[in-house]
Amino acid sequence: RRNAHSERVRQLRFALEEEERAVAACDLELQAMESSPTDAPPVPPTRSVRALLALTSPMYGIGIAWGAQYAKVTPILQQLGLAPWLLSVAWLAGPVSGLVVQPLVGQVSDR
């Protein structure tokens, strides 16, 4: 019985030492967090005018391509015999299909 009691005391001392080590580690982590300046807002990276132009020039090209598409495709569709009221349906097909397909592609890519 005395042997079992001393074994239990040894186990409790070991557990207490483990707890003290964990508390000391948490104290060190807390001190490190308090010493680092986290109140300052992050500074956004500065970019040169050349980098900004390179970043936005593809959208310029896309805008020109869409303008040409709208200007040239409507007369072509009319020449092919599409009724004027169906032109709006033809132009709506792309955005509406995007509303349906994009969430599905996003869901599949998230898996």
Side-chain angles (χ1 to χ4, degrees):
R1 177 168 173 118
R2 189 158 176 66
N3 206 9
H5 177 69
S6 61
E7 178 63 26
R8 180 68 180 144
V9 169
R10 188 182 69 72
Q11 289 175 352
L12 289 174
R13 282 187 182 152
F14 180 76
L16 181 61
E17 290 171 1
E18 287 292 317
E19 286 292 323
E20 288 173 347
R21 280 191 223 111
V23 168
C26 287
D27 285 342
L28 287 174
E29 187 176 339
L30 184 60
Q31 287 174 358
M33 288 172 46
E34 287 175 347
S35 66
S36 64
T38 58
D39 295 337
V43 178
T46 57
R47 300 185 195 273
S48 68
V49 173
R50 185 177 184 174
L52 290 175
L53 287 174
L55 186 67
T56 58
S57 61
M59 285 306 295
Y60 179 74
I62 290 172
I64 288 179
W66 279 28
Q69 177 183 350
Y70 289 139
K72 295 295 182 183
V73 172
T74 300
I76 292 172
L77 290 174
Q78 286 175 333
Q79 285 179 352
L80 291 174
L82 196 63
W85 68 272
L86 281 175
L87 286 173
S88 59
V89 174
W91 285 115
L92 278 175
V96 170
S97 65
L99 285 173
V100 173
V101 172
Q102 284 177 353
L104 296 175
V105 170
Q107 186 178 19
V108 170
S109 70
D110 286 345
R111 289 185 185 165

